[in-house]
Amino acid sequence: MQLKRVVVTGLGAITPLGCTVEEYWNNLLAGKSGAAPITRFDASKFKTRFACEVKGFKVEDYLDKKEARKVDTFTQYGIAAAAQAVADAGISPENVNLDRVGVIWGSGIGGLDTFQQETFAFAKGDGTPRFNPFFIPKMISDICPGHISMRYGFRGPNFTTVSACASSTNAIIDAATYIKLGKADIIVTGGSEAAVNESGVGGFNALQALSTRNDSPETASRPFDKERDGFVLGEGGAGLVLEELEHALKRGAKIYAEVVGGGMSADAHHITAPHPEGLGALNVMKNALQDAGMSADEIDYINVHGTSTPLGDVAESKAILGVFGEHAYKLNISSTKSMTGHLLGAAGAIEAMASILAVKNDIIPPTINHFTDDDALDNKLNFTFNTAQKRLVRAALSNTFGFGGHNASVIVKKYA
């Protein structure tokens, strides 16, 4: 069968760098850090006392107070990001068939804050089970796309992908695949996460995964720097409207970029550590290129997973060299996690968005906080350290790798 072409016609963002796409993108290009001391709870006794929190978010712009209390923060972020994307795409019941509009969303953890609040309340009580009737509907990871579909009456495919930090990249790949196969005209996709709480910070501290650079939060996320000591926890979400090309053209939609391929793989190695030679990362990038029908030298930019962990950054750079060979030295590579922190299941969505905007605007957001070269890396690679760089960006690849060895990569290119 002839596969359909898939384009991006809408974007929305709720991030530590801003609660609109414009704010997010401008702050990325400016090299601004979203890290600061934690305000969500008293973190004074934690090993890590800072995070990349969403700032200035007004849930009442998207939900009334009564409805907002019925949903976890991760769903609030998801509803808001999707609402921006739907408005940006100009979707209305008059110009779409609601039966053929779906929502495929990614979240690695879901309603952790709700689970924590309800558990804390029960533990403080007398043992009598008094739980909020919305406890389960607030907590479950799949509830966010359900709420988005109900908000607009979208009756197409509707589910959540859960693959740790690869979750929303998997959602984007699934969304593009459904459209390519003709099973939907439009899918609202992306991801959201809200794990900046005692359980989230405490759990990742126990894994020794987070930076403990409490004296300088804004420089703590430093991918590919010799002194990196772990990632910075982030929160937020991003929404993308993917649409079948002819459908988009017929309704006169603006087009940001084309989604041309996606790859998936497993490390099959360790629950949290990457394969030391980057085998899973190498395979997933090869799979994405094969799916896109592209050669390695057609890629100009890689938005890397680049979490700022000692093992992960080395493994990913090895994989890039393995896939791209000599062309690797002509690439721009950057980790926007250096600014946003790590949004866990939502990371893929905000980073795919950064890749889309890089393709559209021919500019590469930087990897900030580079101070010292790491001899374990090939420092001839262009990691776009500290300053954005202008260049022609024909196509970009976005990597996300999750605990459990889950890997997902998506490729976007200029629409023509």
Side-chain angles (χ1 to χ4, degrees):
M1 64 178 292
Q2 183 68 39
L3 295 178
K4 309 286 188 180
R5 292 174 67 183
V6 181
V7 292
V8 182
T9 58
L11 299 174
I14 303 294
T15 79
L17 297 182
C19 292
T20 67
V21 173
E22 183 178 17
E23 281 184 299
Y24 167 60
W25 180 238
N26 288 342
N27 283 325
L28 280 183
L29 297 184
K32 182 176 180 180
S33 171
I38 290 169
T39 65
R40 295 278 187 275
F41 63 95
D42 179 3
S44 59
K45 295 183 179 179
F46 285 72
K47 294 178 183 177
T48 297
R49 300 187 290 276
F50 60 92
C52 287
E53 297 176 333
V54 167
K55 306 158 192 73
F57 174 64
K58 296 180 180 178
V59 68
E60 61 270 20
D61 290 344
Y62 304 94
L63 293 164
D64 65 42
K65 289 183 179 180
K66 183 178 179 181
E67 291 304 310
R69 287 195 295 269
K70 297 177 183 177
V71 296
D72 187 88
T73 309
F74 95 99
T75 299
Q76 293 179 8
Y77 292 157
I79 289 171
Q84 290 180 22
V86 168
D88 186 40
I91 295 171
S92 69
E94 292 74 36
N95 62 15
V96 300
N97 177 353
L98 295 174
D99 291 336
R100 291 186 56 79
V101 182
V103 187
I104 300 178
W105 206 253
S107 185
I109 296 179
L112 182 62
D113 203 44
T114 293
F115 190 92
Q116 175 184 279
Q117 290 171 14
E118 292 295 314
T119 304
F120 282 3
F122 178 71
K124 289 177 181 177
D126 61 3
T128 303
R130 298 184 182 91
F131 289 90
N132 189 313
F134 293 101
F135 175 24
I136 301 302
K138 287 174 70 174
M139 180 197 69
I140 52 179
S141 298
D142 66 293
I143 202 66
C144 186
H147 278 288
I148 295 167
S149 70
M150 288 182 276
R151 183 183 183 95
Y152 297 101
F154 297 154
R155 295 186 291 267
N158 189 281
F159 60 90
T160 286
T161 54
V162 180
S163 47
C165 305
S167 295
S168 52
T169 302
N170 277 129
I172 293 167
I173 293 169
D174 280 2
T177 299
Y178 273 73
I179 295 171
K180 286 180 181 179
L181 294 174
K183 296 181 181 294
D185 299 326
I186 295 173
I187 293 185
V188 180
T189 188
S192 55
E193 207 79 274
V196 181
N197 54 37
E198 292 91 334
S199 301
V201 175
F204 283 114
N205 267 160
L207 283 171
Q208 298 184 341
L210 297 182
S211 170
T212 56
R213 206 177 296 275
N214 294 300
D215 58 339
S216 183
E218 67 280 358
T219 68
S221 183
R222 46 180 74 186
F224 306 107
D225 186 88
K226 183 178 181 180
E227 303 301 325
R228 64 191 181 276
D229 70 330
F231 70 81
V232 177
L233 187 60
E235 63 172 359
L240 295 78
V241 173
L242 303 193
E243 188 165 356
E244 192 273 322
L245 174 59
E246 293 305 319
H247 188 275
L249 293 174
K250 187 178 293 185
R251 67 181 192 87
K254 68 175 177 292
I255 295 173
Y256 285 97
E258 183 171 1
V259 181
V260 291
M264 293 171 279
S265 75
D267 277 12
H269 172 68
H270 188 270
I271 58 171
T272 57
H275 189 282
E277 298 304 314
L279 181 60
L282 181 146
N283 285 339
V284 77
M285 288 187 279
K286 283 186 173 180
N287 292 343
L289 287 167
Q290 182 179 24
D291 187 54
M294 297 175 69
S295 60
D297 61 8
E298 292 179 90
I299 302 295
D300 294 317
Y301 170 48
I302 302 177
N303 187 299
V304 289
H305 187 57
T307 56
S308 184
T309 58
L311 297 178
D313 291 2
V314 174
E316 188 170 10
S317 64
K318 286 180 180 178
I320 290 169
L321 287 164
V323 173
F324 291 89
E326 285 300 311
H327 182 65
Y329 301 109
K330 299 177 183 178
L331 293 165
N332 272 82
I333 297 164
S334 75
S335 171
T336 47
K337 288 187 181 72
S338 61
M339 296 171 276
T340 66
H342 191 352
L343 269 67
L344 308 178
I350 68 166
E351 291 160 16
M353 183 179 302
S355 303
I356 289 161
L357 293 170
V359 165
K360 182 170 176 57
N361 297 294
D362 291 318
I363 187 166
I364 309 295
T367 305
I368 69 167
N369 297 330
H370 180 70
F371 304 100
T372 308
D373 286 348
D374 183 353
D375 292 339
L377 302 168
D378 186 334
N379 289 293
K380 296 193 296 291
L381 293 170
N382 182 2
F383 292 107
T384 322
F385 284 135
N386 297 326
T387 305
Q389 294 179 14
K390 293 184 178 180
R391 65 165 292 171
L392 175 66
V393 187
R394 299 166 298 169
L397 183 151
S398 181
N399 283 338
T400 47
F401 313 140
F403 284 177
H406 309 295
N407 307 307
S409 300
V410 65
I411 297 175
V412 295
K413 73 175 186 180
K414 286 191 186 298
Y415 164 68

